[in-house]
Amino acid sequence: MGGFGSGRGQCGKDTTSDMRALDVRRLQRDGLLTPGGYINWQWSINGEKVADINIRTEANRVILNYRSRSNSGEWQPMEYPAYLEWTPCNLGGRRAWFRCPARGCGRRVAILFGGSIFACRHCHKLAYQCQRETDDDRAMRRADNIRRRLGWEAGIANPEGDKPKGMHWRTFERLKAEHDAFANASWAGMAERLGLMNRRLVGLGLEPLDDMGA
Ligand SMILES: [Zn+2]
């Protein structure tokens, strides 16, 4: 029986490299969704096996069987079904989907991610973290748009400039206040993400990164 510790995914590339992804399309392509089928699916990094899971296929569902490490470090056996759903393809045949097994979810998804349980990215809060990152990026972009209007050098790490000639003071004060709000939101988001990243690095036994000199 295989197993892995529970990890939390993050946004972007790491989302899938960090977590154990179980892609129903891959299982279907490899002919592993036939009832009565049984496979041991393995994940490896640089050719080294890091986790595995036993999958038993029944009619319209797969039984996931693996071990998960709890906070106390004990390995816990896990076994539960992930239901399958089928939709017709344009070119004939049918396409398989997972129903997210997390309680109260049931979303139709192609990929389940394992932490301690296999669930869709929404259930793993990946969507939330990605949204946060997008919000931070947007805040930085908006701050930069204002900097351009004010004739300041782009980049919120650069010093603020003066009021451009010909601009009303009230306009300048308003734009400067907006700029500072966007810049602060962006800094806060970056600091939070750096904190998350550092917790993960430390969890892997690596050195945390310095803060951004702020
Ligand atoms: Zn879900």
Side-chain angles (χ1 to χ4, degrees), residues 99-107 109 112 118-124:
R99 283 281 181 192
C100 172
R103 193 172 304 165
C105 179
R107 278 187 181 83
V109 292
L112 295 176
F118 279 84
C120 73
R121 66 192 178 90
H122 303 277
C123 290
H124 281 295

Side-chain angles (χ1 to χ4, degrees), residues 87-95:
T87 54
C89 294
N90 288 335
L91 303 171
R94 54 185 197 157
R95 187 193 152 166

Side-chain angles (χ1 to χ4, degrees), residues 41-61:
W41 189 267
Q42 301 191 348
W43 291 273
S44 50
I45 295 174
N46 299 328
E48 200 176 321
K49 182 177 126 181
V50 292
D52 71 338
I53 184 172
N54 293 321
I55 304 173
R56 202 168 72 237
T57 307
E58 299 180 349
N60 291 322
R61 66 181 200 173

Side-chain angles (χ1 to χ4, degrees), residues 73-95:
E74 302 267 328
W75 288 101
Q76 303 246 339
M78 306 287 283
E79 186 173 88
Y80 51 87
Y83 284 84
L84 300 172
E85 192 166 304
W86 301 87
T87 54
C89 294
N90 288 335
L91 303 171
R94 54 185 197 157
R95 187 193 152 166

